[in-house]
Amino acid sequence: MANLVFSLFLLAALLTLSAAEIRLSEIRSDARSIIPFDEFGFTHRGRLEIAVTDASYKAAKEIDPVHMGFFLSTRDAWIHVLQQLERREIHCVLNSKLITRLFTFNNLQDNKFNKTYDEVEANQFTLVFANCIPDTLVSMNVRTAMYNLEGANDSRDYLSAGETLLPKLYFGLFVIYLVLAGVWIYVVVKNRAMAYRIHVFMIALICLKALNLICEAEDKSFIKKTGTAHGWDVLFYIFSFLKGIMLFTLIVLIGTGWSFLKPYLQGKEKKVLMVVIPLQVIANIATVVIDETGPNAKDWLAWKQMFLLVDVICCCAVLFPIVWSIKSLREAAHTDGKAAVNLMKLTLFRQYYIVVVGYIYFTRVVVYALATITAYQYAWTSILAGELATLGFYVFTGYKFQPVGHNPYFVIDDDEEEAAAQALKMDDDFEL
């Protein structure tokens, strides 16, 4: 039962896995019964190259190496295989007829194996190593390459069938953010008398997002053509790191009203930043480890769990300053005699709170759900949905907090002041 629970959790983790480049993996003294490698969406002209070298195993007694080997499995098939194991219909994954067995250790020659497989079934498969002999330590070096053949000249496409459009997608988004940066710079310069430091901070964030997208476009483009990123992944990680920190910092600063409502941060607001920034550092380190090591690493699941936990904590932490600002504005509305002004600010911060919550929910929950239910050849749609949600969030933030020469929040007459006071009173009565 423990192995079944572990395997089900592993399956859930693999739903977000997508590794297509040529990968070199080292397995050292590993006793795991299941070691997943890469997942890939094949077309009818898909191909898998696998080379195993320096393969060895240690067992307390004489064993039959036929019970150790590699196979391909779809996600649906894997669920049924787990059920077969639970019902004891089979004693080893390699005995199931639902998988595509590639080879076992009895096929090794001089501790090596090298073969190319043509995958004629168009589907998404995961390459997995199974060790059905308890307490047996396995060591080996594995080189894998999965790709689809395209066109009359059989050019190789190392991106999964559902990701082959990603280079164009990311480049298109880069152009959009480049235009957005130009528009925002124009707005800030035109209204520089009303511009604050937070607006310059927004320019930096948009530029970092654009750089992140162009690096990701180049990263995917080189992987698509050659199977390796040629260093673009390093730039992508750097800009992702900076962009992630600046995005969460911006949400916190806007939530506190820094720069445009007050020129300082309170102690509790500084503590939120002191929590969010180190957590973002940890999240980005976890992302690099997850992407570069692959699920065959022993601690891959631990890093995956750490990333999810840290991301949830960051998302929750950035909401507190917005709630504090809403509470502060409600209290100020009854003491400083500016009910209308504070009501407008209060409405703005409530809208921003709702949008931040919606953005977090959509990008963390809805996008994940789309990735799980969408057919493998349309995997790019969930990525597009997440990017469009991010773009919408950036546009909303810029529009609502733009520097303007005649701020409507401060042009209030007596009738509006009295109406706002009544609205605030009704709001208090509603909450009570």
Side-chain angles (χ1 to χ4, degrees), residues 56 82-83 90 100 212 280 320 337 382 399 423 425:
S56 63
L82 293 176
Q83 293 173 348
I90 58 174
T100 302
N212 175 249
Q280 276 298 296
F320 285 106
S382 62
Y399 177 76
K425 185 178 184 303

Side-chain angles (χ1 to χ4, degrees), residues 124-146:
Q124 184 147 315
F125 288 89
T126 302
L127 176 65
V128 185
F129 175 79
N131 177 8
C132 299
I133 307 173
D135 302 322
T136 300
L137 302 178
V138 176
S139 299
M140 58 182 167
N141 297 324
V142 183
R143 179 189 183 277
T144 58
M146 299 183 185

